Amino acid sequence: MYASPHIISFDERIYLSGKKIKQKELKKILLECEKKNGKNPITFFEITTAAAFVAFSKQRADFLLLEVGLGGRFDATNVLKNPLMSIITSIGIDHTEFLGSSIAKISKEKAGIMRKNCPVIIGPQKSKVVKKILFEESKLVGAKPFTFEKDWHCSEKKGFLVFQDNKGEVKFSLKNLTGQEHQLENAGIAIAALRKLKLKKLTTKNYATLSKSQLIGRYQTITKGKLIKIIKPSNRLIIDGCHNVLGAQELTKTVRKKEKGRDIVFIVGMLNSKDSKGFFKEVKKIAQSIYTIAIPNQINSIPAKELAFTAKQIGIKSKAFEKLETALKNLSQNHPNSTIIISGSLYLAGEALKANKPN
């Protein structure tokens, strides 16, 4: 498996036979790629993707699960000519500097992973424009769409995820998938993909392993660690790496559902490539106050004071801090019975999880 970005350590990006790549092997391969590339220009994502492919070439496997980076036509991962399947999850406005400023342009770029005669699983889409473009592109390319609502459906019913298609119904307990609504949608997409692969030994038990899945940095409730010692026992602490408008919408829906009757306060750090105004417009619906910080170790982070100014423009009480721990302590003192959400970036989520670990 290849995925990005990582949350805590880079080796999370590459899995071999279900286990993270060993640091020693990763270092060897990265040096190999650097030597081969020489002094030619190459991006961080391109050379690390090349390293992933080198790692995969040394390891036999039944399947490779390959996540695109920015997603689409010119993505470094999109060099494979004959994938077994393409999967497109919910599309929103993001990475506009590369994919285009409109949802239509972004959708066309995302559709660039489709291949002729190759099944494409299309997950739930909130925009009619996205649905129309994905259908048109699949027809143009000659891909075989397997589409949410038209060909399959999934929903939550009394604590269970229920998936239905023309083959029948799959039902299992949600357990750990009790965070945001889109987690359930993505679980449905995973089941749809498995159904379309037509594996011989696939049973309900295989699907049910999804109920044991946990997503790090996605509506993750923190109950122990260094950060918990900073806040008051009456506070709740949640880390969520959402960083765009669509993510903020999902987070807002989840908070309203899960944190009823509690004050909601945020610690936010964001990259300068993200729509901070759009993000704040969404969380304004639930946030009493926002404290901002610069994301540690990220040169493209928006300065804390600039981010706080943006939040104030949107009409949210905000204050800038230099460090996460200082912001957290101050926020807890001023809002002792609140739910504190650290959000705005997966990079910030990773830094928060690192800071929470004991020595």
Side-chain angles (χ1 to χ4, degrees), residues 91-96 100-104 106 243-246 275:
I91 294 176
I93 299 288
D94 204 1
H95 304 300
T96 53
S101 57
S102 69
I103 196 72
I106 292 170
H243 48 268
N244 56 28
V245 174
L246 186 59
D275 179 8

Side-chain angles (χ1 to χ4, degrees), residues 252-306:
T252 299
K253 282 197 292 186
T254 303
V255 169
R256 281 175 168 166
K257 183 179 177 181
K258 302 277 181 186
E259 309 296 324
K260 288 180 180 178
R262 295 182 65 87
D263 285 347
I264 308 299
V265 290
F266 278 79
I267 296 175
V268 176
M270 299 188 78
L271 297 180
N272 55 23
S273 59
K274 302 303 177 184
D275 179 8
S276 56
K277 282 186 178 180
F279 180 91
F280 286 136
K281 282 178 181 177
E282 292 301 325
V283 300
K284 181 186 177 181
K285 298 170 185 176
I286 54 172
Q288 273 72 48
S289 184
I290 287 180
Y291 286 12
T292 62
I293 61 169
I295 305 170
N297 307 312
Q298 289 294 327
I299 59 172
N300 293 321
S301 175
I302 300 173
K305 288 183 179 179
E306 183 182 326

Side-chain angles (χ1 to χ4, degrees), residues 24-266:
K24 188 176 179 180
E25 180 67 11
L26 176 59
K27 183 179 178 181
K28 182 181 175 182
I29 291 172
L30 285 169
L31 289 171
E32 182 184 343
C33 290
E34 186 179 36
K35 184 178 178 181
K36 189 74 174 177
N37 186 63
K39 294 183 179 181
N40 294 313
I42 192 166
T43 67
F44 173 82
F45 186 75
E46 286 168 347
I47 199 163
T48 52
T49 300
F53 283 138
V54 172
F56 300 143
S57 73
K58 300 175 186 289
Q59 177 87 34
R60 291 181 64 85
D62 299 306
F63 298 99
L64 164 61
L65 182 60
L66 185 67
E67 183 188 19
V68 298
L70 302 182
R73 204 160 45 113
F74 295 120
D75 196 90
T77 59
N78 200 30
V79 296
L80 299 185
K81 293 180 180 179
N82 299 302
L84 283 174
M85 178 182 294
S86 302
I87 299 172
I88 298 178
T89 58
S90 181
I91 294 176
I93 299 288
D94 204 1
H95 304 300
T96 53
E97 68 275 31
F98 298 105
L99 303 180
S101 57
S102 69
I103 196 72
K105 288 179 180 178
I106 292 170
S107 299
K108 282 193 175 183
E109 291 298 321
K110 295 279 188 181
I113 65 170
M114 294 181 186
R115 295 290 190 273
K116 186 177 181 179
N117 297 323
C118 175
V120 54
I121 310 299
I122 299 176
Q125 306 296 334
K126 290 179 170 58
S127 166
K128 290 181 180 179
V129 173
V130 174
K131 291 178 184 178
K132 182 174 181 289
I133 287 173
L134 292 180
F135 176 76
E136 288 174 348
E137 290 296 312
S138 66
K139 196 173 180 180
L140 189 66
V141 171
K144 299 175 180 179
F146 190 50
T147 309
F148 175 72
E149 289 183 329
K150 182 177 180 292
D151 302 301
W152 60 274
H153 190 269
C154 70
S155 60
E156 179 184 355
K157 292 181 181 177
K158 297 180 180 180
F160 285 83
L161 187 144
V162 180
F163 177 96
Q164 291 174 307
D165 62 7
N166 59 6
K167 294 180 181 178
E169 181 181 283
V170 176
K171 181 180 177 181
F172 58 86
S173 172
L174 294 173
K175 290 186 180 178
N176 294 330
L177 289 174
T178 56
Q180 299 181 13
E181 188 177 304
H182 73 267
Q183 290 182 16
L184 308 182
E185 294 174 352
N186 288 341
I189 292 169
I191 295 171
L194 287 170
R195 304 278 266 196
K196 212 64 182 171
L197 278 175
K198 299 176 182 177
L199 301 177
K200 290 180 180 179
K201 296 181 180 179
L202 198 61
T203 66
T204 303
K205 288 182 180 179
N206 296 124
Y207 302 123
T209 58
L210 277 168
S211 65
K212 300 175 184 177
S213 301
Q214 284 185 307
L215 289 173
I216 297 172
R218 291 291 193 181
Y219 212 80
Q220 183 176 353
T221 303
I222 307 300
T223 56
K224 57 184 179 180
K226 285 186 175 181
L227 297 184
I228 285 295
K229 293 177 182 178
I230 295 174
I231 62 177
K232 297 183 181 298
S234 52
N235 287 124
R236 270 173 50 78
L237 180 60
I238 292 166
I239 296 176
D240 191 283
C242 80
H243 48 268
N244 56 28
V245 174
L246 186 59
Q249 288 170 352
E250 294 296 331
L251 176 59
T252 299
K253 282 197 292 186
T254 303
V255 169
R256 281 175 168 166
K257 183 179 177 181
K258 302 277 181 186
E259 309 296 324
K260 288 180 180 178
R262 295 182 65 87
D263 285 347
I264 308 299
V265 290
F266 278 79

